[in-house]
Amino acid sequence: MFERLEDIKKRSEFITNELTKPEVISDIAKTTKLSKEQSDLSEILQCYNEYLKAKEDYKEAKELVNDPELGEFAKAEEEKQLEKQKELEKQLEILLLPKDPNDEKNIIIEIRGAAGGDEANIFAGDLYDMYIKYAEKEGFKVENLNSTPSASGGFSEISFMVKGKGAYSKLKYESGAHRVQRVPSTESQGRVHTSTATVLVMPEIDDVDFKLDMNDVRVDITRASGNGGQGVNTTDSAVRLTHIPTGIIVYSQTERSQIKNKEIAMKILQSRVYDLKMREQEKEIGAERRSKIGTGDRSEKIRTYNYPQNRVTDHRIGFTINSLDRVMNGKLDEIIEALITEDQKRKLAGE
């Protein structure tokens, strides 16, 4: 580990030197690439420098342990710096774990009402509200892409983008089937019903990461549908894209402009196809997929929201908290931190 840290330190010094050269400064692409790499290394180096200082302070304290006047103080300092070294070593192990290349990206989230009819759509709307509140709390920006509202409330489907550094690293574990247990507002007998909504979280993909072959995409222009009223789009501006090799279909009708709807649909389709290809690669690798928390598939049941008992349970890691009301208000931190910690634990164990 320490050989690798020394290599990282040398690499950082090399980049610093490169960024002072006129021929590099004049090359915007190269400067941007090197600056990003330098930024990525900074957290590791800061932790490593703290470790080296703790190691030096430990050595100095150890030399003074037998001093008649400073011995007692030196002994306490020696123990303190030794403990600090151990903690920093643990941090360095985590920082040196392979990074998910998508962690810093913006994300696209798709939520669909699944089993349970109207109640499933209402719950899809509740999940949407939960993620919006979480995003606001984290300082992320939200941009709605496309939605199909349900007559009874909520959405049969909604897609939106969450923009902000680290958005994917925080919310990538949310993909899967979310189950709710509660008494629907339409239930006259007070019986608890179980419904589900599915969530798919995908990194925003640009042409540098993955470029769609437009020969594989069929574009259909249709008239937008709606529930009536002045907001209904009466022009042929809705866009349906079909990715022929995979059968993935994306439909966008939110905007009045056909061009804008096509842009939105393309953004979603590109991320959907990329996400599918990444999952297929991970299945081929096998071991990498097994080490991850969940499969990331829509069909996998990942979490239950039990309203009568104010309880949320994440089934992948056996984590339960009795504060559903806070969770639905966007306080997802405890669940997300538990998932991140378990993910790091599995990677460190080499599972």
Side-chain angles (χ1 to χ4, degrees), residues 60-93:
E60 290 177 2
K62 192 175 180 67
E63 291 173 354
L64 294 172
V65 167
N66 295 321
D67 187 284
E69 294 182 3
L70 300 173
E72 190 174 335
F73 169 79
K75 181 64 178 173
E77 186 66 14
E78 179 190 29
E79 291 175 359
K80 175 185 172 183
Q81 295 303 327
L82 183 62
E83 188 62 32
K84 190 174 182 180
Q85 282 182 69
K86 290 178 181 177
E87 287 300 315
L88 288 167
E89 277 187 36
K90 290 178 184 176
Q91 288 182 39
L92 285 167
E93 284 181 344

PDB file of all heavy atoms in Angstrom, residues 60-93:
ATOM      1  N   GLU A  60       8.971  10.903  17.530  1.00  0.00           N
ATOM      2  CA  GLU A  60       9.511  11.913  18.444  1.00  0.00           C
ATOM      3  C   GLU A  60       9.060  11.659  19.877  1.00  0.00           C
ATOM      4  O   GLU A  60       9.850  11.793  20.832  1.00  0.00           O
ATOM      5  CB  GLU A  60       9.077  13.304  18.003  1.00  0.00           C
ATOM      6  CG  GLU A  60       9.735  13.770  16.710  1.00  0.00           C
ATOM      7  CD  GLU A  60       9.241  15.123  16.256  1.00  0.00           C
ATOM      8  OE1 GLU A  60       8.407  15.730  16.978  1.00  0.00           O
ATOM      9  OE2 GLU A  60       9.671  15.584  15.176  1.00  0.00           O
ATOM     10  N   ALA A  61       7.779  11.287  20.039  1.00  0.00           N
ATOM     11  CA  ALA A  61       7.256  11.006  21.389  1.00  0.00           C
ATOM     12  C   ALA A  61       7.935   9.786  21.985  1.00  0.00           C
ATOM     13  O   ALA A  61       8.256   9.761  23.186  1.00  0.00           O
ATOM     14  CB  ALA A  61       5.746  10.803  21.316  1.00  0.00           C
ATOM     15  N   LYS A  62       8.172   8.791  21.178  1.00  0.00           N
ATOM     16  CA  LYS A  62       8.792   7.544  21.648  1.00  0.00           C
ATOM     17  C   LYS A  62      10.198   7.799  22.196  1.00  0.00           C
ATOM     18  O   LYS A  62      10.621   7.181  23.174  1.00  0.00           O
ATOM     19  CB  LYS A  62       8.846   6.536  20.500  1.00  0.00           C
ATOM     20  CG  LYS A  62       9.208   5.115  20.919  1.00  0.00           C
ATOM     21  CD  LYS A  62       9.119   4.175  19.729  1.00  0.00           C
ATOM     22  CE  LYS A  62       9.490   2.745  20.129  1.00  0.00           C
ATOM     23  NZ  LYS A  62       8.506   2.157  21.057  1.00  0.00           N
ATOM     24  N   GLU A  63      10.912   8.738  21.576  1.00  0.00           N
ATOM     25  CA  GLU A  63      12.274   9.065  22.014  1.00  0.00           C
ATOM     26  C   GLU A  63      12.295   9.763  23.371  1.00  0.00           C
ATOM     27  O   GLU A  63      13.313   9.779  24.052  1.00  0.00           O
ATOM     28  CB  GLU A  63      12.943   9.954  20.958  1.00  0.00           C
ATOM     29  CG  GLU A  63      13.247   9.223  19.654  1.00  0.00           C
ATOM     30  CD  GLU A  63      13.757  10.156  18.561  1.00  0.00           C
ATOM     31  OE1 GLU A  63      13.747  11.389  18.805  1.00  0.00           O
ATOM     32  OE2 GLU A  63      14.135   9.654  17.484  1.00  0.00           O
ATOM     33  N   LEU A  64      11.141  10.343  23.747  1.00  0.00           N
ATOM     34  CA  LEU A  64      11.070  11.082  25.006  1.00  0.00           C
ATOM     35  C   LEU A  64      10.384  10.327  26.138  1.00  0.00           C
ATOM     36  O   LEU A  64      10.212  10.860  27.241  1.00  0.00           O
ATOM     37  CB  LEU A  64      10.331  12.407  24.782  1.00  0.00           C
ATOM     38  CG  LEU A  64      11.020  13.438  23.877  1.00  0.00           C
ATOM     39  CD1 LEU A  64      10.082  14.591  23.595  1.00  0.00           C
ATOM     40  CD2 LEU A  64      12.313  13.943  24.530  1.00  0.00           C
ATOM     41  N   VAL A  65      10.012   9.073  25.879  1.00  0.00           N
ATOM     42  CA  VAL A  65       9.261   8.300  26.883  1.00  0.00           C
ATOM     43  C   VAL A  65      10.040   8.143  28.192  1.00  0.00           C
ATOM     44  O   VAL A  65       9.458   8.184  29.286  1.00  0.00           O
ATOM     45  CB  VAL A  65       8.878   6.909  26.316  1.00  0.00           C
ATOM     46  CG1 VAL A  65       8.392   5.984  27.420  1.00  0.00           C
ATOM     47  CG2 VAL A  65       7.788   7.054  25.265  1.00  0.00           C
ATOM     48  N   ASN A  66      11.350   7.994  28.106  1.00  0.00           N
ATOM     49  CA  ASN A  66      12.167   7.777  29.316  1.00  0.00           C
ATOM     50  C   ASN A  66      12.692   9.069  29.926  1.00  0.00           C
ATOM     51  O   ASN A  66      13.455   9.044  30.904  1.00  0.00           O
ATOM     52  CB  ASN A  66      13.349   6.855  28.987  1.00  0.00           C
ATOM     53  CG  ASN A  66      12.872   5.457  28.597  1.00  0.00           C
ATOM     54  OD1 ASN A  66      11.933   4.931  29.187  1.00  0.00           O
ATOM     55  ND2 ASN A  66      13.519   4.868  27.599  1.00  0.00           N
ATOM     56  N   ASP A  67      12.287  10.202  29.383  1.00  0.00           N
ATOM     57  CA  ASP A  67      12.698  11.491  29.937  1.00  0.00           C
ATOM     58  C   ASP A  67      12.022  11.693  31.288  1.00  0.00           C
ATOM     59  O   ASP A  67      10.797  11.547  31.415  1.00  0.00           O
ATOM     60  CB  ASP A  67      12.306  12.618  28.973  1.00  0.00           C
ATOM     61  CG  ASP A  67      12.845  13.963  29.415  1.00  0.00           C
ATOM     62  OD1 ASP A  67      12.274  14.539  30.364  1.00  0.00           O
ATOM     63  OD2 ASP A  67      13.827  14.424  28.809  1.00  0.00           O
ATOM     64  N   PRO A  68      12.789  12.039  32.360  1.00  0.00           N
ATOM     65  CA  PRO A  68      12.201  12.167  33.708  1.00  0.00           C
ATOM     66  C   PRO A  68      11.122  13.245  33.820  1.00  0.00           C
ATOM     67  O   PRO A  68      10.203  13.131  34.615  1.00  0.00           O
ATOM     68  CB  PRO A  68      13.416  12.513  34.590  1.00  0.00           C
ATOM     69  CG  PRO A  68      14.471  12.996  33.637  1.00  0.00           C
ATOM     70  CD  PRO A  68      14.227  12.272  32.367  1.00  0.00           C
ATOM     71  N   GLU A  69      11.234  14.289  33.021  1.00  0.00           N
ATOM     72  CA  GLU A  69      10.255  15.376  33.116  1.00  0.00           C
ATOM     73  C   GLU A  69       9.114  15.232  32.097  1.00  0.00           C
ATOM     74  O   GLU A  69       7.955  15.505  32.410  1.00  0.00           O
ATOM     75  CB  GLU A  69      10.942  16.728  32.890  1.00  0.00           C
ATOM     76  CG  GLU A  69      11.934  17.077  33.986  1.00  0.00           C
ATOM     77  CD  GLU A  69      12.558  18.441  33.761  1.00  0.00           C
ATOM     78  OE1 GLU A  69      12.167  19.120  32.782  1.00  0.00           O
ATOM     79  OE2 GLU A  69      13.425  18.832  34.563  1.00  0.00           O
ATOM     80  N   LEU A  70       9.441  14.784  30.880  1.00  0.00           N
ATOM     81  CA  LEU A  70       8.438  14.727  29.812  1.00  0.00           C
ATOM     82  C   LEU A  70       7.920  13.321  29.531  1.00  0.00           C
ATOM     83  O   LEU A  70       7.069  13.134  28.661  1.00  0.00           O
ATOM     84  CB  LEU A  70       9.028  15.301  28.513  1.00  0.00           C
ATOM     85  CG  LEU A  70       9.499  16.761  28.577  1.00  0.00           C
ATOM     86  CD1 LEU A  70      10.204  17.140  27.282  1.00  0.00           C
ATOM     87  CD2 LEU A  70       8.321  17.684  28.827  1.00  0.00           C
ATOM     88  N   GLY A  71       8.420  12.344  30.281  1.00  0.00           N
ATOM     89  CA  GLY A  71       8.086  10.947  30.020  1.00  0.00           C
ATOM     90  C   GLY A  71       6.591  10.641  30.020  1.00  0.00           C
ATOM     91  O   GLY A  71       6.070   9.975  29.109  1.00  0.00           O
ATOM     92  N   GLU A  72       5.879  11.139  31.016  1.00  0.00           N
ATOM     93  CA  GLU A  72       4.443  10.842  31.133  1.00  0.00           C
ATOM     94  C   GLU A  72       3.659  11.450  29.970  1.00  0.00           C
ATOM     95  O   GLU A  72       2.791  10.805  29.370  1.00  0.00           O
ATOM     96  CB  GLU A  72       3.915  11.391  32.460  1.00  0.00           C
ATOM     97  CG  GLU A  72       2.498  10.931  32.776  1.00  0.00           C
ATOM     98  CD  GLU A  72       2.060  11.367  34.171  1.00  0.00           C
ATOM     99  OE1 GLU A  72       2.915  11.581  35.042  1.00  0.00           O
ATOM    100  OE2 GLU A  72       0.832  11.484  34.361  1.00  0.00           O
ATOM    101  N   PHE A  73       4.009  12.708  29.664  1.00  0.00           N
ATOM    102  CA  PHE A  73       3.360  13.385  28.528  1.00  0.00           C
ATOM    103  C   PHE A  73       3.693  12.669  27.215  1.00  0.00           C
ATOM    104  O   PHE A  73       2.826  12.457  26.364  1.00  0.00           O
ATOM    105  CB  PHE A  73       3.824  14.837  28.460  1.00  0.00           C
ATOM    106  CG  PHE A  73       3.430  15.531  27.195  1.00  0.00           C
ATOM    107  CD1 PHE A  73       2.141  16.017  27.010  1.00  0.00           C
ATOM    108  CD2 PHE A  73       4.353  15.693  26.153  1.00  0.00           C
ATOM    109  CE1 PHE A  73       1.774  16.647  25.831  1.00  0.00           C
ATOM    110  CE2 PHE A  73       3.997  16.316  24.966  1.00  0.00           C
ATOM    111  CZ  PHE A  73       2.697  16.801  24.810  1.00  0.00           C
ATOM    112  N   ALA A  74       4.971  12.276  27.075  1.00  0.00           N
ATOM    113  CA  ALA A  74       5.419  11.607  25.852  1.00  0.00           C
ATOM    114  C   ALA A  74       4.720  10.261  25.673  1.00  0.00           C
ATOM    115  O   ALA A  74       4.384   9.879  24.544  1.00  0.00           O
ATOM    116  CB  ALA A  74       6.934  11.415  25.884  1.00  0.00           C
ATOM    117  N   LYS A  75       4.509   9.545  26.755  1.00  0.00           N
ATOM    118  CA  LYS A  75       3.829   8.241  26.680  1.00  0.00           C
ATOM    119  C   LYS A  75       2.402   8.408  26.160  1.00  0.00           C
ATOM    120  O   LYS A  75       1.934   7.632  25.293  1.00  0.00           O
ATOM    121  CB  LYS A  75       3.810   7.582  28.062  1.00  0.00           C
ATOM    122  CG  LYS A  75       3.159   6.209  28.105  1.00  0.00           C
ATOM    123  CD  LYS A  75       3.914   5.187  27.283  1.00  0.00           C
ATOM    124  CE  LYS A  75       3.271   3.815  27.373  1.00  0.00           C
ATOM    125  NZ  LYS A  75       3.910   2.844  26.439  1.00  0.00           N
ATOM    126  N   ALA A  76       1.706   9.419  26.683  1.00  0.00           N
ATOM    127  CA  ALA A  76       0.328   9.682  26.243  1.00  0.00           C
ATOM    128  C   ALA A  76       0.309  10.097  24.772  1.00  0.00           C
ATOM    129  O   ALA A  76      -0.556   9.669  23.997  1.00  0.00           O
ATOM    130  CB  ALA A  76      -0.299  10.770  27.108  1.00  0.00           C
ATOM    131  N   GLU A  77       1.303  10.911  24.379  1.00  0.00           N
ATOM    132  CA  GLU A  77       1.390  11.365  22.992  1.00  0.00           C
ATOM    133  C   GLU A  77       1.725  10.198  22.057  1.00  0.00           C
ATOM    134  O   GLU A  77       1.212  10.115  20.937  1.00  0.00           O
ATOM    135  CB  GLU A  77       2.452  12.457  22.873  1.00  0.00           C
ATOM    136  CG  GLU A  77       2.549  13.106  21.511  1.00  0.00           C
ATOM    137  CD  GLU A  77       1.319  13.915  21.114  1.00  0.00           C
ATOM    138  OE1 GLU A  77       0.477  14.211  22.003  1.00  0.00           O
ATOM    139  OE2 GLU A  77       1.180  14.236  19.914  1.00  0.00           O
ATOM    140  N   GLU A  78       2.582   9.303  22.536  1.00  0.00           N
ATOM    141  CA  GLU A  78       2.954   8.128  21.741  1.00  0.00           C
ATOM    142  C   GLU A  78       1.717   7.278  21.433  1.00  0.00           C
ATOM    143  O   GLU A  78       1.489   6.860  20.285  1.00  0.00           O
ATOM    144  CB  GLU A  78       3.982   7.287  22.503  1.00  0.00           C
ATOM    145  CG  GLU A  78       4.414   6.025  21.769  1.00  0.00           C
ATOM    146  CD  GLU A  78       5.238   5.094  22.656  1.00  0.00           C
ATOM    147  OE1 GLU A  78       5.031   5.111  23.891  1.00  0.00           O
ATOM    148  OE2 GLU A  78       6.072   4.358  22.106  1.00  0.00           O
ATOM    149  N   GLU A  79       0.893   7.023  22.436  1.00  0.00           N
ATOM    150  CA  GLU A  79      -0.319   6.224  22.262  1.00  0.00           C
ATOM    151  C   GLU A  79      -1.314   6.932  21.345  1.00  0.00           C
ATOM    152  O   GLU A  79      -1.959   6.300  20.502  1.00  0.00           O
ATOM    153  CB  GLU A  79      -0.955   5.957  23.631  1.00  0.00           C
ATOM    154  CG  GLU A  79      -0.129   5.026  24.512  1.00  0.00           C
ATOM    155  CD  GLU A  79      -0.713   4.881  25.899  1.00  0.00           C
ATOM    156  OE1 GLU A  79      -1.761   5.521  26.194  1.00  0.00           O
ATOM    157  OE2 GLU A  79      -0.135   4.130  26.706  1.00  0.00           O
ATOM    158  N   LYS A  80      -1.409   8.243  21.508  1.00  0.00           N
ATOM    159  CA  LYS A  80      -2.331   9.035  20.689  1.00  0.00           C
ATOM    160  C   LYS A  80      -1.946   8.971  19.207  1.00  0.00           C
ATOM    161  O   LYS A  80      -2.804   8.749  18.337  1.00  0.00           O
ATOM    162  CB  LYS A  80      -2.319  10.487  21.178  1.00  0.00           C
ATOM    163  CG  LYS A  80      -3.165  11.432  20.323  1.00  0.00           C
ATOM    164  CD  LYS A  80      -2.995  12.877  20.795  1.00  0.00           C
ATOM    165  CE  LYS A  80      -3.680  13.851  19.843  1.00  0.00           C
ATOM    166  NZ  LYS A  80      -3.456  15.266  20.252  1.00  0.00           N
ATOM    167  N   GLN A  81      -0.659   9.148  18.929  1.00  0.00           N
ATOM    168  CA  GLN A  81      -0.201   9.147  17.535  1.00  0.00           C
ATOM    169  C   GLN A  81      -0.244   7.754  16.914  1.00  0.00           C
ATOM    170  O   GLN A  81      -0.476   7.613  15.706  1.00  0.00           O
ATOM    171  CB  GLN A  81       1.215   9.731  17.441  1.00  0.00           C
ATOM    172  CG  GLN A  81       1.315  11.196  17.829  1.00  0.00           C
ATOM    173  CD  GLN A  81       0.410  12.090  17.002  1.00  0.00           C
ATOM    174  OE1 GLN A  81       0.168  11.830  15.818  1.00  0.00           O
ATOM    175  NE2 GLN A  81      -0.127  13.138  17.625  1.00  0.00           N
ATOM    176  N   LEU A  82      -0.044   6.728  17.747  1.00  0.00           N
ATOM    177  CA  LEU A  82      -0.140   5.355  17.244  1.00  0.00           C
ATOM    178  C   LEU A  82      -1.575   5.045  16.831  1.00  0.00           C
ATOM    179  O   LEU A  82      -1.824   4.446  15.775  1.00  0.00           O
ATOM    180  CB  LEU A  82       0.326   4.360  18.313  1.00  0.00           C
ATOM    181  CG  LEU A  82       0.343   2.882  17.891  1.00  0.00           C
ATOM    182  CD1 LEU A  82       1.309   2.669  16.726  1.00  0.00           C
ATOM    183  CD2 LEU A  82       0.721   1.988  19.071  1.00  0.00           C
ATOM    184  N   GLU A  83      -2.531   5.475  17.657  1.00  0.00           N
ATOM    185  CA  GLU A  83      -3.955   5.274  17.348  1.00  0.00           C
ATOM    186  C   GLU A  83      -4.342   6.066  16.094  1.00  0.00           C
ATOM    187  O   GLU A  83      -5.108   5.579  15.255  1.00  0.00           O
ATOM    188  CB  GLU A  83      -4.804   5.721  18.541  1.00  0.00           C
ATOM    189  CG  GLU A  83      -6.284   5.392  18.426  1.00  0.00           C
ATOM    190  CD  GLU A  83      -6.550   3.885  18.339  1.00  0.00           C
ATOM    191  OE1 GLU A  83      -5.789   3.103  18.940  1.00  0.00           O
ATOM    192  OE2 GLU A  83      -7.517   3.501  17.657  1.00  0.00           O
ATOM    193  N   LYS A  84      -3.787   7.268  15.982  1.00  0.00           N
ATOM    194  CA  LYS A  84      -4.069   8.095  14.815  1.00  0.00           C
ATOM    195  C   LYS A  84      -3.551   7.434  13.540  1.00  0.00           C
ATOM    196  O   LYS A  84      -4.220   7.442  12.500  1.00  0.00           O
ATOM    197  CB  LYS A  84      -3.429   9.472  14.996  1.00  0.00           C
ATOM    198  CG  LYS A  84      -3.860  10.493  13.935  1.00  0.00           C
ATOM    199  CD  LYS A  84      -3.307  11.873  14.250  1.00  0.00           C
ATOM    200  CE  LYS A  84      -3.772  12.892  13.217  1.00  0.00           C
ATOM    201  NZ  LYS A  84      -3.235  14.251  13.509  1.00  0.00           N
ATOM    202  N   GLN A  85      -2.374   6.835  13.612  1.00  0.00           N
ATOM    203  CA  GLN A  85      -1.810   6.128  12.458  1.00  0.00           C
ATOM    204  C   GLN A  85      -2.726   4.995  12.008  1.00  0.00           C
ATOM    205  O   GLN A  85      -2.967   4.806  10.816  1.00  0.00           O
ATOM    206  CB  GLN A  85      -0.439   5.541  12.807  1.00  0.00           C
ATOM    207  CG  GLN A  85       0.698   6.529  12.808  1.00  0.00           C
ATOM    208  CD  GLN A  85       2.024   5.852  13.115  1.00  0.00           C
ATOM    209  OE1 GLN A  85       2.537   5.085  12.310  1.00  0.00           O
ATOM    210  NE2 GLN A  85       2.565   6.137  14.283  1.00  0.00           N
ATOM    211  N   LYS A  86      -3.242   4.227  12.974  1.00  0.00           N
ATOM    212  CA  LYS A  86      -4.120   3.099  12.657  1.00  0.00           C
ATOM    213  C   LYS A  86      -5.390   3.574  11.955  1.00  0.00           C
ATOM    214  O   LYS A  86      -5.848   2.957  10.991  1.00  0.00           O
ATOM    215  CB  LYS A  86      -4.480   2.332  13.935  1.00  0.00           C
ATOM    216  CG  LYS A  86      -3.311   1.564  14.534  1.00  0.00           C
ATOM    217  CD  LYS A  86      -3.727   0.870  15.828  1.00  0.00           C
ATOM    218  CE  LYS A  86      -2.551   0.120  16.442  1.00  0.00           C
ATOM    219  NZ  LYS A  86      -2.929  -0.507  17.744  1.00  0.00           N
ATOM    220  N   GLU A  87      -5.971   4.682  12.460  1.00  0.00           N
ATOM    221  CA  GLU A  87      -7.186   5.227  11.855  1.00  0.00           C
ATOM    222  C   GLU A  87      -6.930   5.724  10.439  1.00  0.00           C
ATOM    223  O   GLU A  87      -7.726   5.492   9.529  1.00  0.00           O
ATOM    224  CB  GLU A  87      -7.733   6.374  12.723  1.00  0.00           C
ATOM    225  CG  GLU A  87      -8.381   5.932  14.020  1.00  0.00           C
ATOM    226  CD  GLU A  87      -9.574   5.016  13.786  1.00  0.00           C
ATOM    227  OE1 GLU A  87     -10.405   5.316  12.901  1.00  0.00           O
ATOM    228  OE2 GLU A  87      -9.660   3.976  14.470  1.00  0.00           O
ATOM    229  N   LEU A  88      -5.796   6.402  10.255  1.00  0.00           N
ATOM    230  CA  LEU A  88      -5.453   6.932   8.933  1.00  0.00           C
ATOM    231  C   LEU A  88      -5.139   5.801   7.951  1.00  0.00           C
ATOM    232  O   LEU A  88      -5.419   5.914   6.761  1.00  0.00           O
ATOM    233  CB  LEU A  88      -4.269   7.894   9.041  1.00  0.00           C
ATOM    234  CG  LEU A  88      -4.603   9.247   9.700  1.00  0.00           C
ATOM    235  CD1 LEU A  88      -3.331  10.010  10.046  1.00  0.00           C
ATOM    236  CD2 LEU A  88      -5.489  10.093   8.791  1.00  0.00           C
ATOM    237  N   GLU A  89      -4.566   4.700   8.446  1.00  0.00           N
ATOM    238  CA  GLU A  89      -4.314   3.537   7.587  1.00  0.00           C
ATOM    239  C   GLU A  89      -5.627   2.973   7.049  1.00  0.00           C
ATOM    240  O   GLU A  89      -5.729   2.605   5.876  1.00  0.00           O
ATOM    241  CB  GLU A  89      -3.545   2.460   8.360  1.00  0.00           C
ATOM    242  CG  GLU A  89      -2.054   2.681   8.406  1.00  0.00           C
ATOM    243  CD  GLU A  89      -1.324   1.501   9.025  1.00  0.00           C
ATOM    244  OE1 GLU A  89      -1.739   0.347   8.812  1.00  0.00           O
ATOM    245  OE2 GLU A  89      -0.326   1.737   9.734  1.00  0.00           O
ATOM    246  N   LYS A  90      -6.626   2.910   7.920  1.00  0.00           N
ATOM    247  CA  LYS A  90      -7.943   2.420   7.503  1.00  0.00           C
ATOM    248  C   LYS A  90      -8.541   3.337   6.435  1.00  0.00           C
ATOM    249  O   LYS A  90      -9.109   2.873   5.447  1.00  0.00           O
ATOM    250  CB  LYS A  90      -8.895   2.339   8.708  1.00  0.00           C
ATOM    251  CG  LYS A  90      -8.556   1.239   9.700  1.00  0.00           C
ATOM    252  CD  LYS A  90      -9.514   1.269  10.883  1.00  0.00           C
ATOM    253  CE  LYS A  90      -9.139   0.240  11.932  1.00  0.00           C
ATOM    254  NZ  LYS A  90     -10.014   0.337  13.131  1.00  0.00           N
ATOM    255  N   GLN A  91      -8.414   4.648   6.652  1.00  0.00           N
ATOM    256  CA  GLN A  91      -8.928   5.616   5.673  1.00  0.00           C
ATOM    257  C   GLN A  91      -8.219   5.470   4.327  1.00  0.00           C
ATOM    258  O   GLN A  91      -8.848   5.527   3.272  1.00  0.00           O
ATOM    259  CB  GLN A  91      -8.740   7.039   6.198  1.00  0.00           C
ATOM    260  CG  GLN A  91      -9.677   7.419   7.338  1.00  0.00           C
ATOM    261  CD  GLN A  91      -9.475   8.862   7.773  1.00  0.00           C
ATOM    262  OE1 GLN A  91      -9.255   9.755   6.962  1.00  0.00           O
ATOM    263  NE2 GLN A  91      -9.542   9.093   9.071  1.00  0.00           N
ATOM    264  N   LEU A  92      -6.898   5.261   4.387  1.00  0.00           N
ATOM    265  CA  LEU A  92      -6.116   5.125   3.161  1.00  0.00           C
ATOM    266  C   LEU A  92      -6.508   3.864   2.391  1.00  0.00           C
ATOM    267  O   LEU A  92      -6.569   3.863   1.162  1.00  0.00           O
ATOM    268  CB  LEU A  92      -4.617   5.096   3.487  1.00  0.00           C
ATOM    269  CG  LEU A  92      -4.012   6.454   3.858  1.00  0.00           C
ATOM    270  CD1 LEU A  92      -2.629   6.280   4.470  1.00  0.00           C
ATOM    271  CD2 LEU A  92      -3.948   7.368   2.634  1.00  0.00           C
ATOM    272  N   GLU A  93      -6.782   2.784   3.126  1.00  0.00           N
ATOM    273  CA  GLU A  93      -7.229   1.545   2.466  1.00  0.00           C
ATOM    274  C   GLU A  93      -8.503   1.782   1.668  1.00  0.00           C
ATOM    275  O   GLU A  93      -8.646   1.304   0.540  1.00  0.00           O
ATOM    276  CB  GLU A  93      -7.465   0.452   3.519  1.00  0.00           C
ATOM    277  CG  GLU A  93      -6.196  -0.181   4.063  1.00  0.00           C
ATOM    278  CD  GLU A  93      -6.495  -1.272   5.070  1.00  0.00           C
ATOM    279  OE1 GLU A  93      -7.653  -1.333   5.564  1.00  0.00           O
ATOM    280  OE2 GLU A  93      -5.596  -2.065   5.368  1.00  0.00           O
TER     281      GLU A  93
END
